[in-house]
Amino acid sequence: MNTKQLHIFKHFVEAQNENAVAEKLGITQPTVTFHLKNLSKECGLPLYFKKGKHFNLTEAGELLYRNATKMINLIEETTDMMDDFKQSKRGTLRVGASHAPIYSILPSTFKNYMHEHPNIDINLMVDTAPVIIDQVKNRKIDIAVIAEKGFNESELQVKRLHDNPLVLAMDKRHPLAQHKQCTIEDINNYRFIIHNGGSTRDSINEWRKKNFINLDVHMETNSISSILATIKDSNYLSLVSENAIRHHPNIISKQLPNAPTTSYISLVYRNDRHLTTIIQDFITLIYNTK
């Protein structure tokens, strides 16, 4: 049996008339009869019998009708979905992110994207920038938003969105909160909770080396949220990227004396990646997110 036979059989059961089926499907009545007879022959048993002016289904015919209806509906739904994919109405966007943009521009971007593309699923991976870069190179994710200070990967395209300097972070009631500027001597009076990896740690190490500072580090973690939760309502300090605390109401930042080289929040994707409408719409939204 084939889908054409099942299609004709379904309409025949519903219309109870071969001429009506022929007219609906734009074929001749003998063609309808031919396919119905062939279908019964292939099944090897009767599918229906005539009773008065109507056709009644046998038990086998009932089963075939139910399954044929399911199959035809599924084919039609799948065809519609393929058309949606062509028009970028469905699909999955695989995004990688380092920690800083997760606390700044990405939440608003994702919210707006999901509102405008309700049938596009987002698969988000959050890790350090080097790990995310490897995922992009290996085609595990479509596009990344990371904090970076520059790297040389010829197969990757890097689009810088805005600056992301390293800052001194503290609770808004910290003793240093009222200082317009913090000196290295001020900073050395307090203990630190710092990030243990990624581009943030690279900036921290650069700043320590540049200023010959040996920080009193009490805890190290790869979780920005843990850092911010720990320094809240305490006298601990931290060194984080400015974007990581942009939307945290209880944490303030101070400019670092003799700060390290500025990092950036950047878009990263492969040079040979075909930028589908799904990806292009995400890029447009992230450029428009403040």
Side-chain angles (χ1 to χ4, degrees):
M1 68 183 72
N2 55 52
T3 54
K4 186 172 184 179
Q5 291 173 329
L6 295 178
H7 208 68
I8 290 173
F9 179 69
K10 175 181 180 295
H11 284 290
F12 172 69
V13 172
E14 294 168 355
Q16 293 280 306
N17 185 285
E18 292 184 0
N19 287 322
V21 176
E23 183 177 350
K24 183 175 181 65
L25 299 180
I27 56 179
T28 64
Q29 182 271 325
T31 300
V32 174
T33 303
F34 170 79
H35 283 296
L36 290 174
K37 286 183 177 179
N38 274 356
L39 183 59
S40 294
K41 185 177 180 180
E42 288 181 28
C43 291
L45 71 170
L47 300 173
Y48 56 90
F49 59 89
K50 192 169 184 179
K51 187 175 182 180
K53 294 183 179 181
H54 299 284
F55 293 89
N56 288 350
L57 294 174
T58 64
E59 187 176 352
E62 286 279 4
L63 178 62
L64 181 63
Y65 172 71
R66 288 198 301 270
N67 286 349
T69 300
K70 292 177 184 177
M71 292 171 62
I72 290 167
N73 288 343
L74 184 59
I75 290 171
E76 290 175 349
E77 180 184 344
T78 302
T79 300
D80 290 342
M81 289 176 66
M82 293 302 102
D83 289 339
D84 284 349
F85 274 115
K86 291 177 186 177
Q87 301 174 48
S88 297
K89 294 180 182 179
R90 294 179 185 269
T92 299
L93 177 66
R94 301 175 302 169
V95 181
S98 61
H99 295 87
I102 285 295
Y103 290 89
S104 54
I105 61 174
L106 280 179
S108 295
T109 302
F110 286 143
K111 189 181 298 183
N112 293 334
Y113 190 86
M114 290 186 288
H115 175 74
E116 295 182 13
H117 302 81
N119 292 319
I120 303 296
D121 296 326
I122 296 175
N123 189 331
L124 173 65
M125 176 183 180
V126 181
D127 213 311
T128 61
V131 172
I132 296 300
I133 289 169
D134 282 341
Q135 292 292 306
V136 176
K137 290 168 60 179
N138 294 326
R139 302 181 186 276
K140 298 291 181 63
I141 55 180
D142 302 315
I143 191 165
V145 187
I146 63 170
E148 55 85 20
K149 299 183 71 171
F151 57 92
N152 186 20
E153 299 285 355
S154 59
E155 66 264 53
L156 300 183
Q157 187 74 241
V158 180
K159 303 289 186 182
R160 286 179 169 171
L161 301 170
H162 52 76
D163 293 352
N164 183 45
L166 188 73
V167 295
L168 182 68
M170 65 192 74
D171 184 85
K172 63 183 180 182
R173 292 181 294 273
H174 192 280
L176 295 182
Q178 302 305 316
H179 289 218
K180 290 185 178 180
Q181 292 183 327
C182 294
T183 65
I184 291 177
E185 289 73 20
D186 292 330
I187 293 170
N188 276 332
N189 290 324
Y190 297 93
R191 304 189 80 179
F192 277 77
I193 313 295
I194 64 173
H195 206 281
N196 64 4
S199 61
T200 298
R201 185 52 180 260
D202 291 341
S203 292
I204 292 172
N205 291 341
E206 178 190 338
W207 183 72
R208 292 166 76 173
K209 185 176 180 179
K210 184 178 181 180
N211 293 282
F212 303 100
I213 294 174
N214 185 22
L215 296 177
D216 184 2
V217 177
H218 199 186
M219 185 176 84
E220 298 183 34
T221 175
N222 66 349
S223 169
I224 292 292
S225 59
S226 293
I227 292 173
L228 299 182
T230 304
I231 67 174
K232 180 179 176 294
D233 298 323
S234 78
N235 281 350
Y236 284 109
L237 297 175
S238 187
L239 299 169
V240 298
S241 63
E242 187 176 59
N243 283 274
I245 62 171
R246 181 185 292 182
H247 301 297
H248 200 296
N250 297 305
I251 306 298
I252 65 170
S253 67
K254 299 288 182 180
Q255 185 177 350
L256 277 175
N258 199 21
T261 307
T262 296
S263 67
Y264 302 89
I265 298 295
S266 302
L267 279 169
V268 180
Y269 52 89
R270 287 187 62 95
N271 287 324
D272 58 0
R273 163 69 64 184
H274 172 62
L275 298 182
T276 64
T277 303
I278 289 174
I279 299 174
Q280 289 175 355
D281 287 351
F282 177 77
I283 292 173
T284 299
L285 273 176
I286 206 162
Y287 269 110
N288 291 334
T289 301
K290 303 299 183 184

